[in-house]
Amino acid sequence: MRVKAFKAWRPAEGKAESVASVPYDVVDTKGAAALAEGNPESFLHVVRAEIDLPEGTDPYSDAVYAQAKANIERFKNDGILIREEEPAFYLYSQQMGDHLQYGIVATCHFEDYEEGKIKIHEKTRRVKEEDRIKYVDTQNANTGPVFLAYRDSEKINALVEETKSTDPLYKFTAEDGVKHTVWKMGHVSELEAAFGEIPATYVADGHHRSASAAKVGAMRRDANPNHTGDEPYNYFLAVMFPESELKILAYNRVILALPGTEEEFFQALEEQFTIEKNGKAVPAKSGEICMYMNGEWSTLTPIYMPTATDPVAALDVSILQNDVLAPILNIEDPRESNDIDFIGGIKGTEELEKWVDDGRAVMAFSMYPTSMEQLFAVADAGMLMPPKSTWFEPKLRSGLLVNTLD
């Protein structure tokens, strides 16, 4: 892996908490406007710049990209963001309840993505990828990092432990209760060499950001007759976490409509699953799916388990898709269907019950979380998971460290 230190733009002293924002893709325009209200230093003015334009502005319009560019320039000119004089790596920790994880902030070479050394496990949607390409190209910057995972390294762990004992640049608790801490790291050459020994990293979250970063890098490479591969545009912003510290939550499903009658649904379901009405809302292990319908929870256990040699078919989300959603509920492509929605496990099963009890959905499925081992197995096989197979928490904040492409 080619990993480099970078000259970050970062919040000036005392401004990290007011600047740092949720990522662009976990909040809509209305929610972003509410979060940024009364705070002109919120990075949502950069990653959700439509909040500074007339209501109803198309978030994919040229005006939004131009406003984002103007806003980040304002942050720089007003001293809200300052630039490091020398390239550096950073250590970024997040604590959510008892869960604590440490990631290294660096830049990764886009050609490693092209060559499959930065591995993916999900498809991207063209409209979202094109949005991020235009956004990054217009800003000339990566304003939000890609969330990468790597297999644990003793050398990297030792450098992380050394950094923990130093004074942090930033330490604050966000409005959702997650504690964020950032340190500047030493040992630049040692870190670059240690990551150079790692054969691959894995996109945990940020498939559109990584795909678009690679496209922007390729565009600039092709436009530069003197391209060397060392130019800043070759590298995109990432936070890399060791697999042992990462926590994947369930990504649950709600079904908004039945194609037929309830009787027909249960007849078809009983051909594929044993159904136990036991009131259990959370699966105890992989291979179980909990279903909420008509005010009660049932556990579904497949009668025919897929072969373990197929890492995608063995996923619980694949079992649900292949044995329930497609053949029984006529949801062939969950990305395009209007009959399904997805709810991150961070919201708990109470949210599933609420959707059904309020009449917004006819049933809900509570899933067992995909494991890191399963994610690695799928990515190593060059295969793709069904959409919405993983939900990582806590989410990375935007605006703490920005990488420019010049």
Side-chain angles (χ1 to χ4, degrees):
M1 286 292 303
R2 286 172 285 181
V3 172
K4 283 185 67 173
F6 66 108
K7 290 184 179 181
W9 283 93
R10 60 180 182 83
E13 185 175 355
K15 293 192 177 293
E17 186 171 359
S18 62
V19 170
S21 78
V22 297
Y24 81 97
D25 53 353
V26 301
V27 65
D28 60 15
T29 302
K30 184 177 180 181
L35 287 172
E37 186 176 5
N39 180 10
E41 297 180 350
S42 170
F43 211 67
L44 286 167
H45 294 285
V46 175
V47 298
R48 276 289 188 179
E50 71 270 20
I51 66 177
D52 294 330
L53 295 171
E55 187 174 350
T57 298
D58 180 356
Y60 299 142
S61 66
D62 289 344
V64 173
Y65 304 113
Q67 185 66 47
K69 179 67 172 177
N71 286 347
I72 197 169
E73 291 304 317
R74 172 175 67 83
F75 277 41
K76 294 175 182 177
N77 294 335
D78 291 352
I80 298 168
L81 295 180
I82 59 174
R83 192 171 197 186
E84 293 280 14
E85 294 182 359
E86 298 295 333
F89 287 90
Y90 300 85
L91 182 64
Y92 177 15
S93 79
Q94 300 166 289
Q95 183 170 1
M96 183 179 70
D98 294 332
H99 179 71
L100 180 61
Q101 59 191 35
Y102 292 86
I104 294 176
V105 189
T107 58
C108 300
H109 204 291
F110 81 89
E111 288 180 354
D112 283 347
Y113 180 92
E114 290 183 328
E115 295 166 6
K117 295 176 184 176
I118 299 174
K119 297 176 181 286
I120 63 172
H121 66 268
E122 284 186 4
K123 287 182 179 179
T124 57
R125 292 179 62 186
R126 181 181 295 273
V127 64
K128 290 190 175 183
E129 191 175 315
E130 290 176 348
D131 164 56
R132 289 299 94 186
I133 291 170
K134 192 167 185 178
Y135 181 88
V136 171
D137 198 37
T138 301
Q139 309 311 309
N140 195 42
N142 309 128
T143 57
V146 177
F147 187 153
L148 298 178
Y150 63 92
R151 290 187 168 90
D152 285 56
S153 158
E154 291 186 5
K155 291 182 180 179
I156 296 173
N157 289 347
L159 295 172
V160 167
E161 288 299 320
E162 180 180 324
T163 302
K164 289 180 190 178
S165 64
T166 64
D167 293 332
L169 293 174
Y170 311 125
K171 187 173 185 178
F172 64 94
T173 301
E175 68 278 353
D176 58 2
V178 176
K179 297 177 181 178
H180 300 264
T181 310
V182 177
W183 296 262
K184 186 187 289 189
M185 301 186 73
H187 305 291
V188 168
S189 59
E190 291 94 330
L191 281 165
E192 290 178 351
F195 276 106
E197 297 175 2
I198 292 177
T201 57
Y202 300 79
V203 179
D205 199 2
H207 282 80
H208 291 96
R209 272 165 281 175
S210 54
S212 61
K215 295 285 178 60
V216 171
M219 286 164 46
R220 298 192 177 195
R221 173 187 61 193
D222 296 345
N224 182 4
N226 299 313
H227 174 82
T228 66
D230 293 326
E231 298 87 353
Y233 63 72
N234 288 279
Y235 291 85
F236 64 89
L237 186 65
V239 185
M240 298 174 287
F241 291 88
E243 62 169 309
S244 61
E245 294 186 4
L246 291 179
K247 182 177 183 180
I248 304 179
L249 302 184
Y251 216 149
N252 299 319
R253 278 83 167 124
V254 289
I255 307 303
L256 310 184
L258 284 175
T261 66
E262 285 189 20
E263 182 180 0
E264 291 169 335
F265 168 73
F266 277 103
Q267 285 178 347
L269 193 66
E270 287 171 347
E271 294 178 5
Q272 300 292 335
F273 296 87
T274 59
I275 305 171
E276 182 183 358
K277 294 184 178 181
N278 55 12
K280 188 168 68 174
V282 178
K285 59 183 179 180
S286 181
E288 289 185 354
I289 298 169
C290 294
M291 180 180 72
Y292 185 72
M293 190 174 184
N294 295 329
E296 60 183 352
W297 283 100
S298 301
T299 297
L300 311 182
T301 305
I303 296 173
Y304 310 102
M305 287 294 294
T307 171
T309 58
D310 184 334
V312 174
L315 298 172
D316 288 4
V317 288
S318 295
I319 293 171
L320 181 69
Q321 177 62 38
N322 297 335
D323 293 348
V324 181
L325 300 187
I328 302 176
L329 299 175
N330 298 334
I331 300 173
E332 298 288 345
D333 185 350
R335 290 184 181 87
E336 303 298 332
S337 175
N338 294 322
D339 293 330
I340 188 171
D341 211 335
F342 303 88
I343 298 177
I346 190 69
K347 294 186 177 180
T349 56
E350 296 83 1
E351 184 71 7
L352 302 181
E353 295 175 8
K354 187 176 179 180
W355 274 65
V356 176
D357 294 344
D358 290 350
R360 286 179 286 168
V362 295
M363 71 180 76
F365 294 102
S366 171
M367 310 300 297
Y368 192 79
T370 302
S371 69
M372 288 301 301
E373 291 80 8
Q374 288 175 315
L375 186 154
F376 284 173
V378 170
D380 285 339
M383 303 173 77
L384 299 173
M385 294 182 180
K388 312 295 186 184
S389 294
T390 57
W391 181 278
F392 285 89
E393 284 284 352
K395 299 295 184 185
L396 302 173
R397 289 267 152 167
S398 295
L400 288 173
L401 296 160
V402 174
N403 174 57
T404 53
L405 306 185
D406 57 12

